[in-house]
Every structure is written in structure tokens, then in C-alpha cells.
Amino acid sequence: MTTKLSVALIPVGVRGMKVLDRQKFLRNVIVPILKVSEEKVSNITPICKNYLLKLENFKPVQSLHGDIEGSNRKCIHLNPEKINRWKDITEEDRQSLKKYDVTEENFDSKEIQLTYENFKYDVIFKTVLPENEDIVSGFSQIGHIIHLNLRDHLLDYKPLIGQVLLDKIKTCRTVVNKSNIIDNTYRNFSMEVIAGEEDFVVTVKENRCNFQFDFSKVYWNPRLGKEHERILQFLKPGDVLFDVFCGVGPFAIPAAKHKCKVFANDLNPDSFTWLNHNAKQNKVDMSLFNSYNLDGKDFICTVFKDYIVKLCQGKEELNENTTIHITMNLPAMAVEFLKYFNGLINDQSLVDKYNFKILVHVYCFVVGGDPYNVAEQSVKGNIVDTYGIHISVFHVRNVSPKKEMMRVTFKLTRNIIFGLKTELEFDEPPSKKLCVEEKM
Ligand SMILES: C[S@@+](CC[C@H](N)C(=O)[O-])C[C@H]1O[C@@H](n2cnc3c(N)ncnc32)[C@H](O)[C@@H]1O
Ligand SMILES: *[C@@H]1O[C@H](CO)[C@@H](O)[C@H](O)[C@H]1NC(C)=O
Ligand SMILES: *[C@@H]1O[C@H](CO)[C@@H](O)[C@H](O)[C@H]1NC(C)=O
Ligand SMILES: *[C@@H]1O[C@H](CO)[C@@H](O)[C@H](O)[C@H]1NC(C)=O
């Protein structure tokens, strides 16, 4: 067989298409095939696995139409990008094929028709959009919503890009272009529907819980699932979680399912509504679950403070091994909220009663410098007494080329809570009213 089959299995003549015309993707190509007996096809196919013609919605093994009368043969389609001639199959594989009576005699070619259905979205974008454009960068899926970050010069291609994604990604019903307009407080952003339904209420699964929310009104980032899981692994049943900036509950809901006592707070009324909805949907034990719609500062200075005071007074009980965790995921400003812990309790008669293990997990963004060091310093700069406290810093994720998201974990000591300063012999005597002015 000498015919040159070499052909790339991509659409042709579609570059610059702005309105999706599926007919234009029709294309006839000649592909190599093996005609083999039906009884042996299950032995033969595995030998051909490196050469099979793999396309969307296409079966590489089909019955052979118009074959010799009475014979029951199958047709194995091979990839013309890999195979032109019988000899392109490796010597070893040809030997294996021979054991099943497959030789050059069985090798042939056939014309097939490729359609829009046979191409994946990335192949379509590569052949339609201006060359060297990576449109799928910054592409994420949240429930049924696909979220793009399209650059300006793709403006004309918006309807096509949206429709192709709707066609190709079965779980996608809505395609949006994310806009720069981010709500700085609630961390949500406005979005423009470029294809599909204008429905922003999504359902996503994370850490074995289902979360439902209106993605246009609350914060959700699918890239934080792993970090949520890491924190959840620190929590033991019976532990207590204060989540100061809880969103729709990715720490709080799984923690409560894990039998932790949870105090979850978010300033955004929509987050609060969906948080409570998610608690119900996931059937959390409501006796373990408390939710608040407060500013983080007020949450710390009332809900958290009251709980710790009650613990000191013996009005709340804790097992001896219990850890109290505080999560603060508002990376742009969470470290600023640490100052509310300084001298939070001023009743000095409770100092001796305070012997709890409280861990703070606070997040921050670092741009430039050694991110570990910068993160540690920005935490230390906001707490009164850093003497002897152990701070550990963890790299969560890379946000953009120069921006890192870090987590700083440290123990909330008695000195911080009561506004005391460790007295070192060589220090000045500490000011008695230290940090009391920080109190509201
Ligand atoms: C980055 S999101 C984190 C949400 C969630 N913890 C997560 O990991 O997905 C920060 C959240 O803090 C809330 N927030 C912003 N400012 C706040 C404040 N001053 N007090 C309480 N919550 C605030 C926002 O509404 C948003 O839901
Ligand atoms: C998508 O949104 C961004 C941010 O608002 C905007 O700059 C860009 O022009 C939009 N892209 C298209 C193709 O409309
Ligand atoms: C963010 O969500 C709030 C409601 O939670 C909404 O009023 C606001 O318009 C949204 N902001 C943006 C930029 O979409
Ligand atoms: C606390 O931990 C210690 C050591 O792991 C264990 O021996 C003890 O039984 C635990 N106490 C409770 C109340 O779980």
C-alpha cells in the first residue's frame, strides 16, 4: 500500500468563523483500517491500542459494510496521524497481529466523514480563533456555570465560544465572561452571560457536602477545595470552629458534619442565607451549628469573646483535648482583624482560668519578597505579644505570577487575649494599659 494517508484530524477552512456553522466542520478524510474476523477482534484491538482512531462520538471498531458476502468481519479504524503504511505498525505488534492471522492483506483504507460532533472544544477553538490564542486560560467551572476571562479582541467570537462550550461540556448550561468589576467587600463579581440560561444558582460538591448558592452574589472559588480539606483534617470531633469570614460554608458545613461545634459568620446577607440553606440541605446537627451575619470585628468581640469568657467562668464545657480553631479567610485584609484579639478580655481575674488551645488560621496575599517571611511579619505586626509563640506558614496557592496566597497558623496565647506582654528582664516595664484602647 503506497497511498500517502497522512492527514491531521482537525477541521479545515473554519478560521475566523464568528457565527457557529456546524455544517462547515464536515470533512471527508481517508483513514487506515484493519479488516479482521469478528471472533478475534477482542484479541486484536488491544494490540492496536496505540494506533486506534480516537475521536469524540466515534467508535474505532465497527462492522464492515459491503464486505465479502457471508463473511462477518469487523473494521478497526486507525489514526492516520500515526499510521500511513502497514510498516508503520511496529515489528513487534505486527508479529502479535500475525498470531491472529492479521497481515498486510488485512490492511486497507477507507473514507470517513468527520462532523462537528467529532471535535473537542479545544480543537475547535484552535482552528477557528485567531492563531496563537489560548482562550481556555482562566477557564473554570462552578456547577453548571463556565466562567471565562476573555480578552477584548475576542469580542466578536463571544457567541461562538459560548455555544461551543454549551455543546461540548455536558454539565454546562451557562457560559459567562467574568468582569473586572469585583465587589471588594463580598468578593463576588458581575458576570455577563454569553451563552445559555441566565441562571446563577449553582450546586457544587466539595469535601462530601453539597453547596448551593447564587454565584453572582457570593464568593466561591473552586481552587480552594484542597485547602478547605487540609483545615478539615486538623479538626477532631468535639473541636470548636469559629469561622470569621465563612462565605456559604466550605469550612463550616463539613466541620459540623464532622461533629465539631461551629460558629460561622459572614457579613454578606446572601452568604448568610445560603450558609443556612446549606446547613439544612446537608442535614447538619443544628445543636452544633450557629450562624451570624456580622462584621468580623463584631463577631470576634461579641460571639467569640462571650464564648471564651464563659469557658473561663466554667459556664461552657470543653473536653481536655479539645482544640478551638479560628479560620480567617479574607486574604486581602484578615490580618487587620487580628488586632481585635489583643486584650479582648480585660477581666484579669480570669487570666488563671485561661488554659485552652486556640489556633488561628489566618490567610493573606503576598506580593513580592519571601512570601513565608512577609506573611509571618504581617501577622506578628498585628498581635501584641509574640514572645515564644510558634508561627507556622503554609503556601496555599499561586494566585497570579507575583501573588501568593499564604496561611499563617499560630496559637492564641493567654497574653494576647488578656493584653499582657511577656516581661523580659532586659525590657522596659510593660505599660499597664497596653492595648486596652484597642477595645471598642
Ligand atoms: C474570600 S471569601 C471566603 C469564603 C469562605 N471562607 C471560603 O473559603 O470560600 C471572604 C468572605 O468574607 C466576607 N467578608 C468580607 N468582609 C467581611 C467582614 N468585614 N466581616 C465578615 N465577613 C466579611 C465576604 O462576604 C466573603 O464571603
Ligand atoms: C470580558 O470581561 C472583561 C472584563 O470586564 C473585559 O475586559 C473583556 O472585554 C470581556 N471580553 C469580552 C470578549 O467581552
Ligand atoms: C455582589 O453581590 C451583591 C449581593 O450579595 C449584589 O448586590 C452586588 O451587585 C454584587 N456585586 C457585583 C459586582 O456583582
Ligand atoms: C486526651 O488525650 C490523652 C492522650 O492522647 C488521652 O489519654 C485521654 O484519654 C484524652 N482525654 C479525653 C477526654 O479524650
Side-chain angles (χ1 to χ4, degrees):
M1 170 128 205
T2 51
T3 334
K4 197 103 176 89
L5 295 173
S6 188
V7 56
L9 294 167
I10 56 172
V12 294
V14 290
R15 173 111 33 229
M17 177 187 288
K18 299 207 171 64
V19 177
L20 180 62
D21 179 353
R22 297 181 183 83
Q23 291 301 313
K24 289 249 161 64
F25 289 82
L26 288 181
R27 183 182 173 204
N28 290 347
V29 291
I30 295 173
V31 301
I33 56 170
L34 287 177
K35 299 172 171 175
V36 304
S37 83
E38 188 173 25
E39 307 85 71
K40 293 175 186 158
V41 73
S42 61
N43 300 103
I44 295 166
T45 311
I47 304 171
C48 300
K49 71 174 190 302
N50 291 329
Y51 317 112
L52 290 182
L53 178 56
K54 287 187 188 129
L55 289 166
E56 295 289 281
N57 300 307
F58 180 83
K59 292 197 186 79
V61 181
Q62 298 175 16
S63 15
L64 188 57
H65 298 294
D67 197 22
I68 316 158
E69 191 95 28
S71 82
N72 237 346
R73 291 199 298 174
K74 289 279 181 184
C75 173
I76 302 180
H77 294 75
L78 305 180
N79 185 343
E81 292 171 352
K82 294 179 176 168
I83 303 292
N84 279 310
R85 310 163 301 158
W86 170 247
K87 289 264 159 59
D88 292 336
I89 298 174
T90 67
E91 173 72 37
E92 195 190 342
D93 289 337
R94 276 181 278 139
Q95 290 302 326
S96 309
L97 288 169
K98 202 162 173 225
K99 288 185 205 145
Y100 300 101
D101 304 319
V102 178
T103 66
E104 192 162 2
E105 299 282 294
N106 303 69
F107 189 79
D108 202 348
S109 67
K110 173 185 165 190
E111 189 174 57
I112 63 166
Q113 185 172 57
L114 301 182
T115 72
Y116 176 73
E117 303 301 321
N118 297 126
F119 302 111
K120 290 196 170 139
Y121 64 81
D122 51 343
V123 172
I124 293 178
F125 293 144
K126 227 191 208 133
T127 48
V128 170
L129 301 180
E131 264 165 291
N132 306 320
E133 281 310 327
D134 182 15
I135 85 108
V136 283
S137 69
F139 166 153
S140 56
Q141 188 170 0
I142 295 93
H144 70 275
I145 299 181
I146 285 196
H147 199 222
L148 299 165
N149 212 342
L150 287 181
R151 285 185 286 151
D152 286 348
H153 63 280
L154 290 177
L155 200 73
D156 293 343
Y157 295 93
K158 257 196 306 202
L160 178 134
I161 293 169
Q163 189 56 50
V164 170
L165 290 170
L166 277 187
D167 289 345
K168 297 294 175 180
I169 299 180
K170 298 283 170 279
T171 53
C172 167
R173 285 190 283 116
T174 305
V175 183
V176 301
N177 182 35
K178 165 176 175 174
S179 101
N180 294 328
I181 310 155
I182 295 190
D183 183 294
N184 274 324
T185 307
Y186 298 158
R187 312 302 301 159
N188 57 324
F189 33 79
S190 68
M191 34 189 118
E192 177 198 357
V193 175
I194 65 172
E197 308 164 25
E198 184 146 342
D199 175 8
F200 299 136
V201 177
V202 297
T203 306
V204 302
K205 203 172 172 112
E206 193 183 274
N207 293 309
R208 292 184 290 282
C209 293
N210 287 310
F211 296 92
Q212 204 172 50
F213 49 88
D214 182 334
F215 188 44
S216 69
K217 297 202 168 131
V218 304
Y219 176 89
W220 182 267
N221 187 339
R223 294 184 179 90
L224 287 176
K226 197 78 207 147
E227 173 61 13
H228 294 144
E229 187 186 342
R230 280 189 287 262
I231 293 292
L232 293 166
Q233 280 168 355
F234 296 149
L235 306 180
K236 307 182 294 295
D239 277 358
V240 182
L241 172 69
F242 286 87
D243 191 356
V244 186
F245 310 107
C246 70
V248 298
F251 288 128
I253 305 288
K257 290 295 280 182
H258 195 53
K259 303 205 170 14
C260 296
K261 191 174 177 84
V262 169
F263 299 85
N265 176 68
D266 202 284
L267 183 62
N268 179 349
D270 290 284
S271 293
F272 178 73
T273 303
W274 289 109
L275 168 75
N276 292 325
H277 172 86
N278 291 329
K280 261 197 219 91
Q281 294 294 303
N282 288 282
K283 302 190 169 61
V284 312
D285 176 349
M286 285 302 173
S287 70
L288 295 174
F289 186 79
N290 308 277
S291 58
Y292 305 86
N293 183 206
L294 300 172
D295 187 299
K297 172 187 174 203
D298 300 324
F299 178 68
I300 292 169
C301 296
T302 61
V303 179
F304 175 71
K305 178 185 170 179
D306 291 350
Y307 182 79
I308 302 300
V309 167
K310 279 190 182 144
L311 275 182
C312 291
Q313 294 169 336
K315 292 181 187 162
E316 279 279 349
E317 297 226 357
L318 267 194
N319 275 335
E320 58 174 316
N321 294 333
T322 302
T323 304
I324 299 171
H325 294 266
I326 305 174
T327 42
M328 301 175 73
N329 181 14
L330 177 62
M333 50 195 295
V335 292
E336 307 279 327
F337 285 75
L338 292 176
K339 61 176 184 280
Y340 302 118
F341 292 116
N342 293 323
L344 179 66
I345 302 177
N346 54 10
D347 180 350
Q348 300 298 314
S349 72
L350 297 176
V351 174
D352 292 338
K353 303 283 190 312
Y354 183 94
N355 62 344
F356 317 110
K357 186 176 175 201
I358 307 186
L359 291 181
V360 177
H361 309 279
V362 61
Y363 294 84
C364 60
F365 292 133
V366 177
V367 182
D370 169 18
Y372 292 86
N373 190 38
V374 174
E376 177 166 347
Q377 293 314 319
S378 63
V379 166
K380 283 186 167 170
N382 283 288
I383 49 183
V384 264
D385 185 79
T386 57
Y387 178 73
I389 74 165
H390 177 70
I391 291 191
S392 66
V393 186
F394 182 83
H395 179 254
V396 178
R397 69 185 197 98
N398 173 256
V399 179
S400 61
K402 284 182 184 150
K403 189 171 176 182
E404 307 300 332
M405 177 173 172
M406 310 297 286
R407 181 217 319 141
V408 181
T409 295
F410 67 97
K411 196 172 158 188
L412 202 57
T413 59
R414 174 188 293 159
N415 277 7
I416 298 172
I417 289 281
F418 289 93
L420 308 172
K421 194 143 172 101
T422 306
E423 291 181 42
L424 299 175
E425 276 153 47
F426 42 85
D427 257 10
E428 295 284 299
S431 150
K432 279 278 175 297
K433 58 175 188 51
L434 189 77
C435 281
V436 176
E437 67 268 30
E438 279 293 357
K439 293 205 42 55
M440 331 170 293

